[in-house]
Amino acid sequence: MQVLARKIDVCPQIYVSSLWAVPSDYDPARGTALILAHGAGNDMNSPFLSFVHEAVAARGVLSVKFNFPYKERRAKLPDRTPLLEATWRALIASVRDEPALAPARLFLGGKSMGGRIASQVVAAGEACDGLVFLGYPLHPPRRPERLRTAHLSAVASPMLFIQGTRDALCDLVLLRGVLKGLRTPSILHVIEGGDHSFHAPKRSGRSESDIQHEITEVVAGFVSVHGER
């Protein structure tokens, strides 16, 4: 595997960092890529996102992760939605236009906010072969009435939701109801005992490594199945 560091121009005077994990046997003509974005409170170097990034690449998928502009500035508060969406579009264009690596199939996703913003650009017309949500932020903490789902009905790509049973930002009963009303194939994979960061209590008997490997296997399986279409 080769890891490439690249700066991606988002708009004049704004760029972001990205890391591209390229499998040793990657063939663009038949290849699949997955772009991953970080959550609101972390950057692309978070241990969880980094694990998924590298583990998916080890399974033959071109894996790309990146920072949003506010993390390049080392700011705490996320950028406004238009800039977050513009950053996603810049990454998608960069991967699609890369002469030596442009994949035949492209999947988008990420942790929490990063995955949600990916779904917004797809709902607005950006094409992809599937969406991967690593803890979709269905609603703010303790505010289940404020669902962040209105745009999902416009998504035509298959979607994978990986959610913990203790996630304060995702009531699973509400999520299941939302998924039933969507027009596109949607898969829910539940991490028993996991919170929004997929941490499980010690009494569960599950280590962080166990959970990370489970998540990676589910993501790799989803990308493999839907990447063959």
Side-chain angles (χ1 to χ4, degrees):
M1 181 194 307
Q2 182 181 18
V3 179
L4 308 174
R6 296 188 173 180
K7 298 292 187 182
I8 307 297
D9 291 322
V10 176
C11 54
Q13 299 183 335
I14 296 180
Y15 70 88
V16 295
S17 302
S18 68
L19 287 176
W20 302 43
V22 185
S24 56
D25 59 350
Y26 179 72
D27 178 3
R30 299 181 294 105
T32 297
L34 171 63
I35 309 177
L36 294 167
H38 59 80
N42 290 299
D43 62 16
M44 70 173 181
N45 295 313
S46 74
F48 172 74
L49 194 70
S50 295
F51 180 91
V52 176
H53 174 247
E54 295 177 8
V56 170
R59 288 160 173 78
V61 176
L62 170 63
S63 184
V64 179
K65 63 177 182 174
F66 67 95
N67 278 337
F68 286 111
Y70 73 100
K71 283 302 180 181
E72 293 291 318
R73 304 190 307 270
R74 298 186 179 182
K76 292 183 178 180
L77 294 179
D79 304 297
R80 293 185 180 276
T81 298
L83 182 53
L84 295 175
E85 292 179 347
T87 305
W88 253 116
R89 292 189 176 96
L91 262 294
I92 293 169
S94 180
V95 172
R96 289 195 187 280
D97 295 342
E98 170 56 47
L101 299 174
R105 292 164 295 277
L106 179 62
F107 291 77
L108 314 176
K111 184 72 186 77
S112 194
M113 180 196 75
R116 176 172 63 85
I117 299 300
S119 68
Q120 290 175 193
V121 301
V122 172
E126 193 70 55
C128 75
D129 292 279
L131 285 163
V132 175
F133 302 113
L134 305 173
Y136 187 84
L138 186 67
H139 52 73
R142 298 178 297 280
R143 298 295 301 275
E145 73 280 3
R146 295 182 58 186
L147 295 180
R148 299 166 171 145
T149 58
H151 66 287
L152 293 180
S153 61
V155 174
S157 307
M159 292 184 279
L160 169 65
F161 293 78
I162 301 180
Q163 307 290 152
T165 57
R166 297 189 305 119
D167 190 341
L169 279 70
C170 184
D171 182 313
L172 289 177
V173 173
L174 293 177
L175 179 60
R176 288 188 174 98
V178 169
L179 299 188
K180 287 181 181 178
L182 298 180
R183 65 189 178 103
T184 189
S186 301
I187 299 170
L188 171 60
H189 183 87
V190 175
I191 302 297
E192 191 64 38
D195 61 13
H196 190 60
S197 298
F198 300 113
H199 299 312
K202 289 184 178 180
R203 64 178 179 275
S204 71
R206 303 200 66 197
S207 69
E208 184 174 347
S209 177
D210 290 338
I211 293 174
Q212 289 178 342
H213 279 91
E214 177 181 343
I215 290 172
T216 299
E217 289 300 322
V218 173
V219 171
F222 175 80
V223 169
S224 176
V225 169
H226 293 282
E228 293 176 354
R229 294 187 173 187

